[in-house]
Each structure stands twice: as structure tokens, then as C-alpha cells.
Amino acid sequence: MEIRLATIHDVDSLFELNEQFNGQGVTTKELMADSLMNNDQEKVFLAFVDGVPAGFCCVQLFKSVCYATNYAEITELFVREAYRRRGVGTALLAFAEDYFKDKNVKGFQLLTGKNNKAAQAFYEKNGYQRSEEWLYRKKR
């Protein structure tokens, strides 16, 4: 297995994986390419198994004037079904966490569906604990 930071050359693979995860029509290859080139706040990691793109993980870095340390949010984590339960998700998560260890990041957070028991079990197995905070959203 190889895990690395995604580059502009990975747009086709990343786009295909994202469509499997988030559905068709949620973004374009052009927008993905622009984000990979210009969004310094987000890092995208790709996992390959025998040269095949097997999954990806997106992490946003958050800095605040109110705190001395930063935190990171795992916004997306997806592994193709054929590669699940083979350590790909755990390896992606560990790689992303390790990437941010020297960037003054003292913690990670993520959101998952309250009924997504498989994801909850996966994250708990990897050391994440459920928070009692509530998420509020306002759509425009």
C-alpha cells in the first residue's frame, strides 16, 4: 500500500473516488484541481493498493486567534468497498495524523452520521471519542 499527498495529477482518480462517496455532480474536476493547487488550508491524502486508487482522506487545518494551538478536521474519509477491512482506512487516518504532527496541531475532530454505526466503530477503534457538542448549520 502507498499513501501520499494528492497532487494535481491525481484529479481523475480523486474525482472518481469522490463520486463514489459523495455522489455525482457535487463538484467538477476543474474545481478539484483548483483546490489542490490553491487551498493551503486543506490537505488530501490518497491510498493506492497495487497501483489502484483505493481511498482518500481530506483534512482541514483550523487556526484561531483565540488559541495557541491548531486543530484539524477530517472532512472526508472514503475507501472503495473492495479495499475495506484491509487496513486502508486506518492507514489513511494514521498518515494524515502523522502529517500534521509538526504543524502545531493538538487534536483532530470529525463529523459522522448518528446512524453510521460502522464509521463510529471505526473511529472509536482508532482512538476517537464521541463529543457531547452539538452541530448547528445554517444553509444559504
Side-chain angles (χ1 to χ4, degrees):
M1 179 181 337
E2 174 197 6
I3 299 177
R4 62 175 170 76
L5 200 57
T7 70
I8 186 71
H9 304 292
D10 296 311
V11 168
D12 289 339
S13 297
L14 186 58
F15 184 80
E16 179 190 344
L17 288 167
N18 188 58
E19 282 201 328
Q20 288 179 30
F21 185 46
N22 288 312
Q24 294 183 341
V26 296
T27 191
T28 65
K29 288 182 183 180
E30 294 77 20
L31 287 172
M32 274 190 157
D34 181 66
S35 188
L36 284 171
M37 288 188 304
N38 300 310
N39 185 355
D40 293 331
Q41 180 181 333
E42 180 180 46
K43 297 300 175 196
V44 181
F45 307 95
L46 275 173
F48 296 85
V49 175
D50 297 326
V52 177
F56 72 99
C57 180
C58 300
V59 182
Q60 296 270 343
L61 179 64
F62 289 92
K63 298 179 180 185
S64 173
V65 69
C66 297
Y67 301 99
T69 59
N70 305 322
Y71 74 92
E73 183 171 312
I74 298 160
T75 58
E76 309 288 335
L77 178 61
F78 173 73
V79 175
R80 286 185 202 257
E81 191 157 345
Y83 296 98
R84 292 181 189 162
R85 303 186 93 47
R86 294 173 54 183
V88 175
T90 298
L92 271 167
L93 202 55
F95 191 93
E97 290 171 355
D98 189 58
Y99 179 87
F100 285 97
K101 74 179 179 188
D102 64 348
K103 295 176 179 40
N104 195 28
V105 171
K106 300 302 180 201
F108 290 82
Q109 68 181 31
L110 59 92
L111 300 170
T112 191
K114 70 178 181 179
N115 295 322
N116 191 345
K117 302 299 182 194
Q120 292 168 22
F122 169 78
Y123 290 120
E124 288 173 12
K125 178 181 158 200
N126 283 281
Y128 287 74
Q129 298 174 353
R130 186 170 35 146
S131 167
E132 295 301 321
E133 295 182 24
W134 289 74
L135 171 68
Y136 289 86
R137 286 193 172 152
K138 182 178 181 181
K139 294 191 178 193
R140 295 172 159 235

